[in-house]
Amino acid sequence: MNEADIKQRVAEFLAGHDPAGDRLEFLRARFDAGLAWVWFPEGLGGLGASRELQQVVERELADTPQINGGKQGIGLGMAAPTILAFGTEEQKRRFLRPLWTGEEIWCQLFSEPGAGSDLATLATRAVRDGDEWVVDGQKVWTSGAHHARWAILVTRTDPEVPKHRGLTYFVCDMNAPGVEVRPLRQITGEAEFNEVFLTGVRLSDDLRLGEVGDGWRVAQTTLMNERVAIGGAPTRRGGGVMAAVLDAWRERPELRTHDLHQRLLSLWVEAEATRLSGARLREQLAAGQPGPEGSGMKLSFAKLNQALTGFDVEFNRDLGYDDWTFRRSEDVDFFGRGPGYRYLRAKGNSIEGGTSEILRNIVAERVLGLPSEPRVDKDVPWKDLPR
Amino acid sequence: MNEADIKQRVAEFLAGHDPAGDRLEFLRARFDAGLAWVWFPEGLGGLGASRELQQVVERELADTPQINGGKQGIGLGMAAPTILAFGTEEQKRRFLRPLWTGEEIWCQLFSEPGAGSDLATLATRAVRDGDEWVVDGQKVWTSGAHHARWAILVTRTDPEVPKHRGLTYFVCDMNAPGVEVRPLRQITGEAEFNEVFLTGVRLSDDLRLGEVGDGWRVAQTTLMNERVAIGGAPTRRGGGVMAAVLDAWRERPELRTHDLHQRLLSLWVEAEATRLSGARLREQLAAGQPGPEGSGMKLSFAKLNQALTGFDVEFNRDLGYDDWTFRRSEDVDFFGRGPGYRYLRAKGNSIEGGTSEILRNIVAERVLGLPSEPRVDKDVPWKDLPR
Amino acid sequence: MTLLYTEIEEELRASVRALLADRCPPAAVIERVESEPADLDLWKTLAGEIGVAGLLIPEELGGAGAGPGEAGVVLEELGRAVAPVPFLTSAVLATRALLPTRDALLGELAEGRRTAALAVSFAASPYRPQRGSAVRAEGGRLSGTVTGVAGADAADVLLVPVDGELYAVEAAAAVVTAGPSLDLTRPVATVTFDRAEARHAGACDLAAVLRLGAALLASEQLGVAEWCLETTLGYVKERHQFARPVGSFQAIKHRLADLWLDVVRARAAARNAVADPSAVSVAVAQAWNAGVAVRVAEEALQLHGGIGMTWEHPVHLYLKRAKSSEIALGTPGDHRAALASLVGVPGPEGGEQ
Amino acid sequence: MTLLYTEIEEELRASVRALLADRCPPAAVIERVESEPADLDLWKTLAGEIGVAGLLIPEELGGAGAGPGEAGVVLEELGRAVAPVPFLTSAVLATRALLPTRDALLGELAEGRRTAALAVSFAASPYRPQRGSAVRAEGGRLSGTVTGVAGADAADVLLVPVDGELYAVEAAAAVVTAGPSLDLTRPVATVTFDRAEARHAGACDLAAVLRLGAALLASEQLGVAEWCLETTLGYVKERHQFARPVGSFQAIKHRLADLWLDVVRARAAARNAVADPSAVSVAVAQAWNAGVAVRVAEEALQLHGGIGMTWEHPVHLYLKRAKSSEIALGTPGDHRAALASLVGVPGPEGGEQ
């Protein structure tokens, strides 16, 4: 299937469905026409085409009703590829369509207070009871949990074996009794995330994704898709966080000093070199030469954002803050807020989605081929690990 | 014994010995009067007094013939305290007097090509043969080996036990057959150091310092004294390497830029804060509160010297060098040479006398109490270690 | 002159630390910062029982006749606790402004019966003392606005420098408007005077006042950095990941060793600035310590991982204090710029570029 | 415009790399640098067999009609080998100076029959092209001195810009005095003309010439950084201390990961500068890559421990090249200063201070 075939499909679809009609009907029809994600199999929102062709579809359908990439992010970016890879036919048919149309929102129940960087040490238990599993534990850093219908969930089903081997992956029904969602307040004042307490939550066995004990492998698929998604958006020269800093710099000449000027020029160069390497990475991906550079983009962006937002607060000599109110926020409104907010929020960039420490380990071992450290937890049953 | 007593001793000594007479005779007499190092025992150059009182002696004898602190550095700073701590009475009487007067120069045979940071893994073998030991191996980074009469030497006497337990410490006769000294050229062009090849060198057992197999403990005494000696000299504000940079900065206004100016001001602040912490450390030592800060001085100075000398080359926009000639140098003539030399020589500051990496480990574990890493070499016989 | 702590200073530290441990644990600070940040009960005890409010005031004026060294130790402890009390604003800045006048108010300040604030922007510096101030005096009355005033929320009386003269205005005669502040534990306010009745107290060398404030702020920054470093050390020794304490990973160890070297130097710089509060010493202490406090607080947050990003963990209070203090009384860049002429490191003016 | 390497570039790289591996291993470079640094035999092969000398020269003038992209790849490889050949000085700087004149000498340079050097200080920059030059032209003869000239030792002919005009002088007609240079593999010399016979070749926009040189130097710096990073990775994987490869220690791993991020960005910046050698792209590439090369070389030395401090290990050749290149054709600070006006980040002039 090539670009012309795809264009033809889109044209046929548009001939039969009016973009000005009911939004949801239109999206459902688009899914059924295989134009949701063309590289997925036929019947599951795709056409079995190559992934690059999705760009053609997006271009052709740019003026039609769109899905909500922000609110549906976890579902689209993490749950869907995992369900596609490990789900039963029945699971794929049940979950993918409403996931894509946005009728059902997804969230992710992975991290725990005691299992952050070392996710595989997680303690949320799932115990089999006939055709059901009973889940007890606490998850944290869950965004969107309060309007999610489903969650992807990793649990420990066997504490007697080493930590990577005793995990099982589920789809969790967020409406099930025993699921409690509490907003988690951050240092910015607001709550983007939640804590999720699971108490005697019963999940039927057909919500299991992959084999019992194979949860680590399933979770790796999810996480691989997460890391590709972070830090990949193209920016223009002097754009992104730098643009916010430059606006202030140009508007307030009375605050400029030589010290700040030299530091800003250095940051400008770093931002531009980082932007260029992102552009080069996208060229590589487009040319089908993925290359290892992707692993580092998040690291570089986190450092740069933190330096720039810290600079911004200092430059503005701003002792104020815009709003400490404890409220639930749906999105990160980075540019709609003040320098103080940006400074604090950017601190999370080196923690969320893999800490910079873990990412440096990954670069060192997987990209540079450096030997791993002596491991003390490889062959120890999970229940005997020090914690 | 107090300050007045010491002054009296010095006065009596001066009454009997003319500083204008034979230099060596004067120094020998000073040693015999216990005024070499007053905190050493009587009969061994000292008076069993407290260490602070040495300052009084130095002040009172400032205008008399002096020993050569540079050339005798290893003997005075490392060999002497070790001999005092572990030597037999006979060894102390034999070695300490000519060591102090400078009649016999000492060097240090510790590091090996395969044993740098991990000194305890050293491979130079000493095998017992009746009342003698036969030594074979290669040492490196030995300063002053070419005019040394004696060396302090660590050898492996038992390869069958874990590495720290199979070491034995000797005084090595540098005139013995089988000792070969070769100058080791550095990146600066010159050779401050030597490689020393030991081939079938026979040392009598009475040159052994400490027990057989106890060499690691003896070497720790030596190294502790080395680290105290490094980076402890008082400087004035804007002195040291900074002074060399500032001279150039003031003399060549046409080379100044805002970039360089801001960087120089930052380095000036770092240099001053570092200098103040050195001054505070000396106050603590004088007040008998040693404190852990000493462990860090060498780290701070190495970083600062490297940054300053790198800045200096860039500021001078100097593409030249003063002299690449391969020649033996007795001392580090840091300030008599050009910026390029200082830049290259300062690179050694974070390697010699304990790398900055090892010093950070020491600070982290001994000062901050952080747990050590998992060790894979603790209980393995030396001969079975991977290398 | 010594860079060490005296026995008297160590005793003072012990008293302050014990009181703060009892009355001002981090959880209590978090709880109060959104309703009424300033803890005036605690301040009453510090001033009345320990006598910290009068440290800089001579005995004959009702104070303790101590000096910057003692005040520095108090600030180290207050920094370690991010204690929301007006010591720096009342007992250092306002008191120092008033000292040359030997005004009777000093006695009341010393006893802690009244609390003052210097109506100057906390973002002003010894080099730009007027930043944020626009107040004029007319016939014994003041009119105008000062932005970014620290400690105004806790003050009974405002000391207002206008054209080299110092005026005292009852807080009730001014409008003090507190907005949200980056530093939750030392919020700033806009102070507005509209023909407010003012008492002339005497002359005021505002740059000198702010310089002493900057000298002592370096001690507070040291305290902030110390708490952050110690708390992080404690956390990484306890927190396990990959079946090892996080603090046994070498990359973490080396970063903490480097931070410790920074803090050791911050201690020396802070003590030097209180032993000799000259322009050079103060500029060095601020240029170094402000950055160290921010760096250590930022690393503390990072090394706490996710928990450090939560409101319930106190590390954010320290980060916000550190970052605000970087701006307060001159940024590190301002202090470095001042050193250029103070120590003879001239800029490129007259040279190329 | 692409930031990737083309197939043609990769083929060119492979040829150059294979030749250098054979003829220019580090040990051979160390051996020759103190007697006769420039390897003219190697240069003859590179120019004659691989054709690198004519890359920037159009086909109708006897060259290969390639562009900065190909030249950049050659410089990456020459940087990786710290190869002592006059590619940058003759085939880039001198050639680019001569190109607008379409002088017949270009054909000889393209074939490698003759080698040229631009008689301009290597410490000059697009922003200060005259730095180090004091030459005047009188009646077809040149007099004066240029300091810090790179490649003069290997040149048959010197191209001398004087007041916007370019003159060609036979090397034999000038006095070339080489002193000890920090960069052993690309020494600089003082060139003196005493009424030297000169041929007027045409006009010369020296700033533009030096800008292209700076663009391509960024590729060489990338090559230097790559060799240092790769060699260090190889070393720490093999070198054992404490019964573990040194490269298994986390602090080392994290530093190397950060260096790799720097090198990845240096590659993007270098490719951008050859794809679009505009003032902004060149300034970015130099401001970033010069520092990366120095930083990676310094870390390479440190992570090699004692062996890195010895003359016999080649890492010092790279450190010296990196540090000299930081000064060459504008320091990072010079290039950042240029960006201020190029991209609209104005300085404080007119504001405070």
Side-chain angles (χ1 to χ4, degrees), chain B residues 204-333:
Chain B
S204 72
D205 188 55
D206 58 14
L207 289 174
R208 176 165 49 76
L209 218 52
E211 298 303 309
V212 173
D214 205 26
W216 184 247
R217 198 163 63 95
V218 185
Q220 285 303 304
T221 301
T222 308
L223 294 175
M224 225 166 52
N225 280 282
E226 178 182 28
R227 294 214 177 101
V228 169
I230 289 175
T235 49
R236 64 185 169 79
R237 198 165 79 191
V241 182
M242 179 58 82
V245 176
L246 287 179
D247 284 348
W249 180 266
R250 288 167 186 153
E251 278 164 25
R252 306 193 62 188
E254 77 282 6
L255 291 179
R256 299 178 201 149
T257 66
H258 285 296
D259 164 57
L260 293 161
H261 189 223
Q262 296 300 322
R263 287 161 56 199
L264 181 55
L265 289 171
S266 289
L267 287 168
W268 195 94
V269 169
E270 182 177 340
E272 176 65 0
T274 306
R275 186 188 74 82
L276 289 169
S277 76
R280 187 162 190 274
L281 175 65
R282 277 187 301 279
E283 270 199 82
Q284 286 178 299
L285 290 171
Q289 313 158 358
E293 284 83 351
S295 319
M297 291 307 295
K298 177 175 178 286
L299 263 170
S300 300
F301 275 117
K303 181 164 165 288
L304 191 59
N305 284 349
Q306 291 173 353
L308 276 170
T309 55
F311 176 92
D312 201 16
V313 170
E314 191 181 340
F315 169 69
N316 282 287
R317 294 179 188 263
D318 187 356
L319 297 168
Y321 192 75
D322 54 2
D323 187 1
W324 290 119
T325 313
F326 180 14
R327 63 177 193 281
R328 253 194 223 282
S329 51
E330 299 300 326
D331 289 311
V332 181
D333 180 18

Side-chain angles (χ1 to χ4, degrees), chain B residues 116-292:
Chain B
S117 290
D118 183 11
L119 178 64
T121 199
L122 61 83
T124 292
R125 287 281 278 124
V127 177
R128 188 149 203 160
D129 181 21
D131 269 358
E132 291 188 326
W133 296 81
V134 184
V135 181
D136 286 276
Q138 183 193 344
K139 297 286 181 175
V140 78
W141 299 117
T142 314
S143 61
H146 50 296
H147 39 62
R149 176 68 187 83
W150 301 103
I152 43 179
L153 166 71
V154 193
T155 66
R156 181 157 311 277
T157 44
D158 186 354
E160 307 287 333
V161 295
K163 63 181 184 180
H164 292 97
R165 289 200 261 133
L167 301 173
T168 303
Y169 197 115
F170 291 95
V171 169
C172 177
D173 181 350
M174 292 296 285
N175 294 344
V179 176
E180 189 200 345
V181 175
R182 294 186 204 158
L184 179 63
R185 193 179 189 187
Q186 290 159 270
I187 64 173
T188 53
E190 64 188 13
E192 275 172 59
F193 301 96
N194 298 279
E195 295 177 290
V196 177
F197 296 81
L198 305 166
T199 314
V201 177
R202 302 191 78 90
L203 301 177
S204 72
D205 188 55
D206 58 14
L207 289 174
R208 176 165 49 76
L209 218 52
E211 298 303 309
V212 173
D214 205 26
W216 184 247
R217 198 163 63 95
V218 185
Q220 285 303 304
T221 301
T222 308
L223 294 175
M224 225 166 52
N225 280 282
E226 178 182 28
R227 294 214 177 101
V228 169
I230 289 175
T235 49
R236 64 185 169 79
R237 198 165 79 191
V241 182
M242 179 58 82
V245 176
L246 287 179
D247 284 348
W249 180 266
R250 288 167 186 153
E251 278 164 25
R252 306 193 62 188
E254 77 282 6
L255 291 179
R256 299 178 201 149
T257 66
H258 285 296
D259 164 57
L260 293 161
H261 189 223
Q262 296 300 322
R263 287 161 56 199
L264 181 55
L265 289 171
S266 289
L267 287 168
W268 195 94
V269 169
E270 182 177 340
E272 176 65 0
T274 306
R275 186 188 74 82
L276 289 169
S277 76
R280 187 162 190 274
L281 175 65
R282 277 187 301 279
E283 270 199 82
Q284 286 178 299
L285 290 171
Q289 313 158 358

Side-chain angles (χ1 to χ4, degrees), chain B residues 237 249-250 254 256 258 261 266 274 277 280 283-284 292-293 296 357 360-361 363 365 368-369 371 373-374, chain C residues 2-5 237 244 248 250 253-254 258 260-261 264-265 268 280 336 339 343-348 351-352:
Chain B
R237 198 165 79 191
W249 180 266
R250 288 167 186 153
E254 77 282 6
R256 299 178 201 149
H258 285 296
H261 189 223
S266 289
T274 306
S277 76
R280 187 162 190 274
E283 270 199 82
Q284 286 178 299
E293 284 83 351
E357 288 72 28
R360 284 194 195 95
N361 284 348
V363 167
E365 292 176 17
L368 305 182
E373 293 190 273
Chain C
T2 174
L3 300 177
L4 303 183
Y5 298 103
K237 288 176 194 175
R244 288 166 56 180
S248 74
Q250 198 194 33
K253 289 163 80 165
H254 281 201
D258 283 339
W260 176 79
L261 290 175
V264 163
R265 289 181 279 186
V280 172
R336 284 194 296 267
L339 284 168
V343 300
V345 184
E352 73 173 15

Side-chain angles (χ1 to χ4, degrees), chain B residues 113-114 116-118 141 185-187 259 310 317 319-321 324 343-344 347 350-351 357 373 376-377 386, chain D residues 34 131 180-182 184 239 241-243 249 255 298 302 306 309-311 316 319-320 323 331 333-334 336:
Chain B
S117 290
D118 183 11
W141 299 117
R185 193 179 189 187
Q186 290 159 270
I187 64 173
D259 164 57
R317 294 179 188 263
L319 297 168
Y321 192 75
W324 290 119
Y343 172 70
L344 296 174
K347 291 280 165 276
S350 50
I351 298 173
E357 288 72 28
E373 293 190 273
V376 295
D377 58 348
Chain D
E34 288 180 278
R131 190 192 290 273
S181 297
L182 180 59
L184 291 156
R239 170 81 172 176
Q241 293 282 276
F242 306 103
F249 284 94
R255 279 157 66 176
E298 289 180 343
Q302 176 69 20
M309 280 298 287
T310 63
W311 188 272
H316 67 101
L319 177 67
K320 291 163 186 174
K323 191 67 189 173
T331 64
D334 298 336
R336 284 194 295 266

Side-chain angles (χ1 to χ4, degrees), chain C residues 18 41 62 106 128 131 133 137 143 145 175 207 218 247 252 280 290 297 301 325 346:
Chain C
D41 282 346
L106 285 164
R128 295 248 315 194
R131 189 192 291 273
S133 290
S143 295
T145 300
V175 181
I252 308 297
V280 172
L301 191 149
S325 301

Side-chain angles (χ1 to χ4, degrees), chain A residues 296-309:
Chain A
M297 291 307 296
K298 179 176 177 283
L299 263 170
S300 299
F301 276 117
K303 180 164 166 288
L304 190 59
N305 285 349
Q306 291 172 354
L308 276 170
T309 54

Side-chain angles (χ1 to χ4, degrees), chain C residues 212-278:
Chain C
L212 185 76
L216 284 163
L217 182 59
S219 288
E220 187 189 281
Q221 287 160 333
L222 169 63
V224 166
E226 282 177 348
W227 183 91
C228 289
L229 181 59
E230 286 169 25
T231 302
T232 304
L233 286 169
Y235 182 75
V236 300
K237 288 176 194 175
E238 290 303 318
R239 169 81 172 176
H240 280 64
Q241 293 282 275
F242 306 102
R244 288 166 56 180
V246 167
S248 74
F249 284 93
Q250 198 194 33
I252 308 297
K253 289 163 80 165
H254 281 201
R255 278 158 65 178
L256 287 165
D258 283 339
L259 289 178
W260 176 79
L261 290 175
D262 288 347
V263 173
V264 163
R265 289 181 279 186
R267 191 172 298 120
R271 292 319 286 172
N272 189 54
V274 294
D276 159 37
S278 67

